Amino acid sequence: MRLFSEEGLNGALRIAHVIAAVMWMGLLWFFNLIQTPAYAEMDPAARNNAFDKLTWRGLFWFRHAALATLGTGLLVIGIDGADGMLYDGDYFQKPGGMVLAAAILFAFIMAYNVWMVIWPNQQTVIANARNVQAGGEANPDAPVAARKAAMASRQNTIFSLFVIPAMVGGGTGGLFFSSGFELPGGGVRLLFWLIILGVAVLMEANALGAIGGRDPGGTNIIYDTHTNAIYTGLALLGVIWLFFEFVVGTV
Ligand code: HEM
């Protein structure tokens, strides 16, 4: 059966990868675009009940979809590379591979935010909601935990708007491919990675509160509303596209 051939297995893994990615991104956008604005308008009792019954379940599928996306993504590369079909040699030095590798870097940072920032802090928020719902005292640390989770989640929304076009466009063409299939010079590749690593380190440091702290405004303005996060994500996508259009594409 073709499914058990290398190509067949890779195809199946790619489908599994997209299913997991759709679930992860879908829940990420639900939490950021729908739940957070709605919870801000809800009565405290209704919000606590929603944290208890809805957010708890959402976070279960959210964090495991993140793990499944990473796992299947690694397998798509691992399985495929065995006989040197696509992801070997200088693949990751060419425009398509550079875009895919940058997206993979952001995806790992996003998964770190899910498991090491969002999930632990949301557990504090949900435990507080359940305790207050049961007539207990409010935990004074809960608002800080909620802010930490919200900033990391908004940062993931920003990265997601580059990762998806890069994943779809990366391997086989699409948005980033006006720059052709030629191997760019070492200087262009170095400049690309300096930009990508600079964006990754500065934005993640900001999301963890290491640059603008936790208060709204300042460098945190990109997290203060879901529309600010969307505009910032589209701007990131635009800057990287322009780099390929006018730097990679012209040398
Ligand atoms: C936020 C996380 C991620 C999302 C939303 C995502 C989404 C996607 C999507 C939609 C595709 C297109 C499928 C296709 O065109 O056939 C794709 C392809 C791919 N993804 Fe991901 N992915 C994510 C993370 C990762 C990670 C962490 C890896 C590797 C470790 C990875 C490796 C790949 C590979 C190798 C492909 C095939 C590219 C090609 O050759 O066309 N992805 N991904």
Side-chain angles (χ1 to χ4, degrees):
M1 260 170 85
R2 185 169 144 59
L3 176 59
F4 299 110
S5 70
E6 184 129 353
E7 292 80 22
L9 188 57
N10 183 270
L13 283 166
R14 200 182 282 243
I15 291 167
H17 180 64
V18 172
I19 291 171
V22 166
M23 181 179 286
W24 181 14
M25 296 299 103
L27 287 166
L28 171 70
W29 298 335
F30 167 77
F31 288 142
N32 278 274
L33 279 59
I34 298 164
Q35 177 182 290
T36 303
Y39 280 17
E41 295 170 10
M42 286 166 85
D43 301 337
R47 184 173 50 240
N48 287 338
N49 197 235
F51 268 120
D52 176 21
K53 301 284 187 297
L54 187 150
T55 305
W56 176 255
R57 284 186 174 84
L59 287 168
F60 172 85
W61 294 102
F62 175 68
R63 65 184 189 276
H64 290 100
L67 272 187
T69 303
L70 262 60
T72 51
L74 285 170
L75 286 171
V76 167
I77 292 176
I79 297 280
D80 194 75
D83 61 359
M85 265 174 54
L86 186 60
Y87 303 114
D88 69 326
D90 57 9
Y91 172 82
F92 286 106
Q93 296 177 38
K94 291 182 178 168
M98 289 161 68
V99 171
L100 184 63
I104 292 171
L105 170 70
F106 286 150
F108 272 91
I109 296 172
M110 291 167 72
Y112 169 86
N113 285 339
V114 170
W115 279 92
M116 307 311 285
V117 185
I118 298 168
W119 173 230
N121 283 293
Q122 284 286 36
Q123 283 178 302
T124 302
V125 173
I126 293 168
N128 178 56
R130 287 175 172 165
N131 187 37
V132 170
Q133 199 171 238
E137 284 296 304
N139 173 358
D141 298 334
V144 176
R147 178 65 176 168
K148 287 180 179 175
M151 288 173 65
S153 193
R154 288 265 153 89
Q155 184 55 58
N156 278 7
T157 301
I158 292 169
F159 282 153
S160 73
L161 292 168
F162 162 68
V163 169
I164 291 190
M167 285 282 162
V168 174
T172 53
L175 180 65
F176 293 93
F177 251 73
S178 54
S179 53
F181 294 79
E182 300 314 307
L183 191 68
V188 170
R189 294 200 309 270
L190 177 64
L191 181 59
F192 173 71
W193 282 111
L194 286 176
I195 293 171
I196 293 294
L197 291 171
V199 167
V201 170
L202 285 175
M203 282 196 138
E204 182 62 8
N206 193 49
L208 299 176
I211 296 179
R214 298 282 175 199
D215 294 338
T219 57
N220 295 338
I221 195 166
I222 59 176
Y223 311 129
D224 291 346
T225 65
H226 57 282
T227 43
N228 287 1
I230 292 171
Y231 293 145
T232 309
L234 294 175
L236 174 64
L237 175 65
V239 165
I240 297 175
W241 179 73
L242 287 171
F243 180 87
F244 276 84
E245 191 68 22
F246 296 106
V247 180
V248 179
T250 57
V251 292

